[in-house]
Amino acid sequence: VKVPLKIWQAENDVRTVKAEMDAYTARLKELGTPVEYVVLAQEGHSIQRKENLEQIFQSVVDFLRKNL
């Protein structure tokens, strides 16, 4: 992976386990890949909390402005 990444991880996701994503993003950073990693508190696999959805939507815009 060579392009900048923005990754959101739900804290309580049982399908995409946080420990695995922690290891994945750490390895990407070791390899020099620019990664922004955000853990969403009190969320499962489907994002339900309004404040987390708003955070994701706004950070997508910010990320694209920064990296395009």
Side-chain angles (χ1 to χ4, degrees), residues 6-36:
K6 177 80 178 206
I7 297 174
W8 296 272
Q9 171 65 46
E11 180 179 53
N12 301 320
D13 192 336
V14 295
R15 294 185 188 143
T16 307
V17 180
K18 182 181 173 303
E20 293 173 0
M21 190 58 71
D22 291 347
Y24 178 68
T25 55
R27 181 67 178 138
L28 287 173
K29 290 177 183 181
E30 287 173 10
L31 295 171
T33 302
V35 178
E36 295 179 31

Side-chain angles (χ1 to χ4, degrees), residues 5 11 14 16 20 25 34 39-41 44 46 48 60 66:
L5 294 177
E11 180 179 53
V14 295
T16 307
E20 293 173 0
T25 55
V39 177
L40 301 168
S46 298
Q48 300 294 316
V60 167
K66 178 180 170 184

Side-chain angles (χ1 to χ4, degrees), residues 36-65:
E36 295 179 31
Y37 180 45
V38 177
V39 177
L40 301 168
Q42 301 176 7
E43 286 290 1
H45 190 71
S46 298
I47 307 304
Q48 300 294 316
R49 299 170 63 83
K50 180 182 175 188
E51 59 270 19
N52 286 334
L53 287 169
E54 290 173 351
Q55 176 187 0
I56 290 170
F57 295 147
Q58 184 59 56
S59 65
V60 167
V61 171
D62 296 342
F63 181 82
L64 292 174
R65 284 184 177 148

